[in-house]
Amino acid sequence: MVDPESEMWLPIESDGEPPAPSTERKRRPPRPASSGYSADQIQVLEGLDPVRRRPGMYIGDTDVNGLHHLVYEIIDNSVDEALAGECNEIEVRLAADGSCTVSDNGRGIPVDIHQQTGRPALEVVMTKLHAGGKFGGGGYKVSGGLHGVGLSVVNALSQRVEVVVYRDQRIYRQEYARGVPMIDLHSEPDSRSGRRGTTVRFWPDPEIFKVTQVIKAETITTRLRELAFLNKRVHFRLIDERPDPHLELNFYFEGGIEAFVRHLNRGKGTVQARPMYAEREIEGSTVEVAIQYNGSFTEHVLAYANNINTIEGGSHLTGFRAALTATLNRYARKAGILKEGDQNLSGDDVREGLTAVLSVKLQEPQFEGQTKTKLGNSEIAGQVSSVLSDALGQYLEENPGDGKRIVEKSLIAARARAAAGRARELVQRKSLLETATLPGKLSDCSEKNPDLCEIFIVEGDSAGGTAKGGRDRRTQAILPLRGKILNVEKAREDKILQNEEIRNLITALGTGVGERFDISRLRYNRVVLMADADVDGSHIRTLLMTFFWRYLQPVVTEGHLYIAQPPLFRVWHGKKESWCYTDEEFAVALKEVGSKARVQRYKGLGEMSDDQLWNTTLDPDQRVLLKVEVDDAIAADDIFDKLMGISVEHRKRFIQAYAKTVRTLDV
Ligand code: 0RA
């Protein structure tokens, strides 16, 4: 999502930036292997074959995601150069011809002859897998790999690549087609003095990618903004030359992740005046952390290792949590807020309302876990813990007012947690007894195999009655909810779990909640939200989706949550009848049925007969269900937070910006 107010919109700077490489260039067909290629060279070419044969192994998939992966690979190389302290400008340009150009003002990829192969280092980097890092230069080996790694993968999967290196007062160029050099590396003098850097332009190969024209500006924007937060004082720029809309965005943050935390906390009523921020080098690693509590009840901690968002956590996060809890407890005792005999604050207590960004940069990161987003290096736990203990301890001493407010907030959280525990116990006990205590309002189905069962969550008793009459009682259960459920973004867990409607819902689903949540106990394969097609209905849907996202997330991420689509109109005359689910369908139906058409508009589900509801909305053979899918958990968090959280200003801005385009399913 592009928030127009969060960054500057600047015109292109024409000065100090390497010009885009000329497009007029002699093109030669690939040379046949027999025309004097050295043995080394052949080996280099063969080296990229596996990438073209199994692209998924290198970039995940050959869909939009894979395409974005190519862009990230190149950006990562430039970011490595920035991490080595050698570059402070990185630009991404998306052109109308489907190409993407990444430029930086780093040292430039080395062009001297590589001993082993007798070819220029640049060519080796571009044509040999894992060729990076062998050219000295020292510096950080980051971005999950070695310097220059990834360029060869991009090269292999592009129908064409142009590389320009500015170094030593010369301009070096080379071009490739599907990984094969089209012309030898050549150079000319550079008339601009002192210029250095690398520009890589690539055209994704349509033989590999299902789609090549859909690099999304929004996706690249999100990543560039994140990188700008994580790499302070590096300028990142996106230029989207494609029409609709032509975009130019600049990201630059003097404060790095401190600014990131402020950004995440915008409009949320913060507990501290300014974030606590620390950056330290320790045993060859860099640890950077920023913390600021806000007025909400949710925890929002983003952990990065070498600029990669470690969503599965890992040792750095373990160290962070341990130090946060220990340091706050130590301070609370020393300041006399926790007295002798008082229990320590728990980890959950000190993380309520916490917004934090943790970014570590280390020499040899080990990424583990299913999606390789869990940091494995055990030494980093102690390093993070030591840095945070020192820095936070000092911060609390120096800002006793903030310290006191943080500890008191944690104490309130502790009390609420105790109350929530009792409330949860109640819900849990109920759902353990299963059918005996299923909510009275639930009209359950007779089938017991969850794979075959569906539950419709319906707004109001009257619609519930219709649904109960119209359903297939063997496989379809109906749970009516009275009115609007609580907004879970604004209430604390204990209050939420005491809410009758929410308790009924959890009990009916069978999964339990909190620590004892167990998706395998879900009693229905499909959980269908069925609300009216009006503003109130859409509010109720959003409230329910927020609840599922915050409390029963696996129901969403494992694909069990759906939205029913009741029709908006019935158009009929004589034997002709048509149900319309959109205004467009309505217009078409009016024409088809003719001038004598009669029209009924359905404002509520309750206005339909049992049979009509079955035919239009419940019958698996005729209905249209929308499945709720989430591709980006952070973005979804952010959207729910904006829409349903405490910041009215945010909600207003969000709704104003997206009112026309956001559909319930866009999360
Ligand atoms: C290997 C060694 C050196 C720099 C690079 C690679 C390098 C790669 C890329 C990719 C995009 N931009 C880049 N910038 C630099 C060090 C060279 C030296 O010591 O001069």
Side-chain angles (χ1 to χ4, degrees):
M1 229 179 313
V2 183
D3 179 351
E5 292 186 48
S6 70
E7 54 259 348
M8 301 172 289
W9 296 60
L10 293 180
I12 305 178
E13 276 171 26
S14 57
D15 215 33
E17 155 207 339
S22 134
T23 45
E24 274 176 49
R25 195 147 299 157
K26 272 179 256 152
R27 235 176 285 166
R28 269 200 245 160
R31 294 167 295 191
S34 59
S35 74
Y37 249 8
S38 72
D40 274 352
Q41 181 69 357
I42 290 165
Q43 205 186 345
V44 164
L45 294 179
E46 280 173 354
L48 289 184
D49 223 43
V51 184
R52 286 185 67 83
R53 254 186 285 123
R54 305 184 65 186
M57 290 257 298
Y58 298 87
I59 54 162
D61 64 33
T62 53
D63 231 312
V64 199
N65 288 325
L67 202 54
H68 290 143
H69 206 109
L70 290 193
V71 184
Y72 297 157
E73 284 290 344
I74 310 248
I75 297 174
D76 279 352
N77 280 294
S78 297
V79 171
D80 284 356
E81 197 60 6
L83 284 170
E86 297 286 350
C87 140
N88 66 352
E89 281 177 33
I90 297 173
E91 180 187 285
V92 179
R93 190 180 284 264
L94 303 173
D97 64 0
S99 72
C100 168
T101 309
V102 178
S103 321
D104 66 55
N105 64 348
R107 287 167 293 187
I109 303 176
V111 288
D112 51 331
I113 296 297
H114 177 237
Q115 289 304 315
Q116 236 173 306
T117 51
R119 304 297 306 170
L122 170 72
E123 186 176 307
V124 180
V125 168
M126 294 302 294
T127 54
K128 205 168 173 174
L129 264 178
H130 308 302
K134 291 186 186 156
F135 307 98
Y140 259 116
K141 304 279 183 287
V142 286
S143 298
L146 301 162
H147 218 38
V149 164
L151 287 176
S152 60
V153 170
V154 175
N155 196 18
L157 302 177
S158 297
Q159 59 175 330
R160 183 170 160 217
V161 171
E162 290 175 9
V163 185
V164 185
V165 169
Y166 304 90
R167 255 187 104 110
D168 312 321
Q169 229 34 68
R170 296 191 74 77
I171 306 177
Y172 297 84
R173 299 177 197 275
Q174 192 167 26
E175 285 177 52
Y176 310 81
R178 305 205 156 93
V180 182
M182 300 292 285
I183 40 174
D184 277 334
L185 180 69
H186 56 285
S187 74
E188 57 189 281
D190 188 354
S191 58
R192 261 166 62 180
S193 83
R195 171 161 57 176
R196 43 176 235 169
T198 304
T199 294
V200 179
R201 180 172 188 179
F202 68 97
W203 288 256
D205 190 349
E207 283 178 10
I208 301 282
F209 292 93
K210 298 192 181 108
V211 282
T212 53
Q213 295 285 335
V214 291
I215 299 177
K216 279 198 199 165
E218 200 173 299
T219 308
I220 306 301
T221 299
T222 307
R223 179 60 179 155
L224 290 184
R225 181 192 291 116
E226 189 179 40
L227 282 169
F229 281 132
L230 294 168
N231 301 282
K232 62 181 172 189
R233 301 196 189 115
V234 180
H235 293 265
F236 288 85
R237 173 180 300 156
L238 175 70
I239 299 172
D240 188 355
E241 293 174 347
R242 303 168 301 182
D244 303 324
H246 186 110
L247 258 189
E248 279 178 42
L249 293 171
N250 286 271
F251 300 98
Y252 173 88
F253 299 104
E254 192 79 34
I257 59 169
E258 182 183 343
F260 200 167
V261 164
R262 285 180 197 274
H263 169 81
L264 295 168
N265 269 344
R266 274 169 314 163
K268 284 200 190 163
T270 52
V271 172
Q272 299 150 259
R274 37 203 329 266
M276 180 243 121
Y277 172 78
E279 181 188 17
R280 308 263 162 96
E281 280 197 25
I282 175 167
E283 296 159 12
S285 309
T286 307
V287 175
E288 211 183 344
V289 56
I291 289 176
Q292 189 180 38
Y293 284 85
N294 63 42
S296 82
F297 311 119
T298 35
E299 170 190 349
H300 200 15
V301 178
L302 298 177
Y304 293 85
N306 292 3
N307 292 323
I308 291 167
N309 184 201
T310 39
I311 41 187
E312 294 177 274
S315 46
H316 54 335
L317 192 59
T318 308
F320 171 91
R321 291 184 160 175
L324 181 74
T325 313
T327 310
L328 283 174
N329 272 303
R330 207 179 314 123
Y331 172 77
R333 299 236 172 245
K334 203 169 152 205
I337 313 174
L338 276 182
K339 309 245 161 27
E340 244 190 90
D342 285 350
Q343 274 211 336
N344 263 350
L345 298 163
S346 75
D348 285 335
D349 300 335
V350 301
R351 290 196 296 272
E352 194 169 288
L354 169 70
T355 298
V357 177
L358 168 65
S359 167
V360 297
K361 286 167 186 152
L362 61 166
Q363 298 292 336
E364 279 173 45
Q366 284 147 24
F367 291 103
E368 304 169 348
Q370 269 199 331
T371 54
K372 294 272 174 254
T373 57
K374 180 175 181 182
L375 185 64
N377 306 56
S378 56
E379 72 281 3
I380 201 83
Q383 295 166 358
V384 170
S385 163
S386 149
V387 168
L388 182 57
S389 298
D390 277 7
L392 181 60
Q394 187 183 345
Y395 169 90
L396 294 168
E397 295 295 334
E398 288 170 5
N399 302 276
D402 287 329
K404 196 160 166 252
R405 279 192 293 277
I406 294 172
V407 172
E408 269 161 10
K409 181 175 168 69
S410 305
L411 276 169
I412 297 172
R415 270 176 238 130
R417 202 168 310 285
R422 291 190 290 274
R424 202 182 301 132
E425 218 28 61
L426 232 101
V427 179
Q428 223 79 258
R429 228 178 302 133
K430 262 188 151 182
S431 66
L432 285 178
L433 297 174
E434 285 242 27
T435 36
T437 51
L438 280 173
K441 291 164 67 176
L442 173 73
S443 306
D444 209 2
C445 49
S446 57
E447 176 62 53
K448 291 290 171 237
N449 177 358
D451 288 342
L452 306 174
C453 296
E454 305 178 331
I455 182 169
F456 287 80
I457 298 163
V458 189
E459 154 195 14
D461 288 337
S462 100
T466 315
K468 196 176 157 190
R471 68 177 172 149
D472 172 356
R473 58 177 58 241
R474 196 176 64 80
T475 56
Q476 297 180 324
I478 307 291
L479 179 69
L481 294 182
R482 185 164 308 127
K484 294 190 177 169
I485 69 156
L486 279 182
N487 180 350
V488 300
E489 291 288 281
K490 288 202 226 165
R492 218 185 266 273
E493 191 180 352
D494 58 320
K495 227 178 129 204
I496 290 162
L497 296 178
Q498 277 162 21
N499 179 274
E500 182 77 28
E501 306 298 311
I502 286 179
R503 272 173 30 191
N504 283 342
L505 177 56
I506 296 171
T507 313
L509 295 179
T511 57
V513 68
E515 279 155 29
R516 287 209 247 152
F517 174 88
D518 180 359
I519 188 76
S520 71
R521 298 176 61 89
L522 183 64
R523 300 177 61 244
Y524 310 92
N525 180 36
R526 293 202 182 98
V527 179
V528 187
L529 310 182
M530 187 159 74
D532 290 342
D534 60 8
V535 179
D536 268 355
S538 115
H539 188 206
I540 287 166
R541 242 185 332 267
T542 316
L543 288 167
L544 280 165
M545 289 192 358
T546 313
F547 172 71
F548 275 97
W549 182 248
R550 291 289 181 223
Y551 286 85
L552 308 169
Q553 204 166 95
V555 174
V556 185
T557 53
E558 293 183 20
H560 298 291
L561 190 62
Y562 293 80
I563 290 174
Q565 291 281 84
L568 296 174
F569 301 97
R570 178 163 79 110
V571 181
W572 79 102
H573 178 248
K575 281 203 179 122
K576 278 193 195 161
E577 181 187 56
S578 180
W579 294 94
C580 315
Y581 295 82
T582 61
D583 290 334
E584 290 76 32
E585 283 178 19
F586 179 52
V588 172
L590 275 181
K591 272 201 201 120
E592 276 175 9
V593 178
S595 59
K596 291 193 181 139
R598 298 183 57 196
V599 170
Q600 184 173 5
R601 185 190 149 89
Y602 289 95
K603 293 215 196 69
L605 296 161
E607 294 175 11
M608 270 182 257
S609 71
D610 298 2
D611 282 349
Q612 287 176 337
L613 189 65
W614 166 255
N615 285 325
T616 59
T617 317
L618 295 175
D619 179 3
D621 292 334
Q622 300 187 59
R623 71 186 180 193
V624 182
L625 286 188
L626 300 179
K627 186 171 182 171
V628 179
E629 284 181 331
V630 175
D631 355 289
D632 181 345
I634 297 179
D637 263 345
D638 200 47
I639 288 175
F640 278 124
D641 190 81
K642 283 203 178 80
L643 273 176
M644 312 307 284
I646 46 182
S647 163
V648 178
E649 184 47 35
H650 257 137
R651 186 155 54 240
K652 217 169 79 193
R653 262 212 261 155
F654 184 89
I655 292 171
Q656 282 166 352
Y658 287 90
K660 291 196 196 78
T661 51
V662 164
R663 299 271 176 277
T664 326
L665 283 190
D666 282 354
V667 290

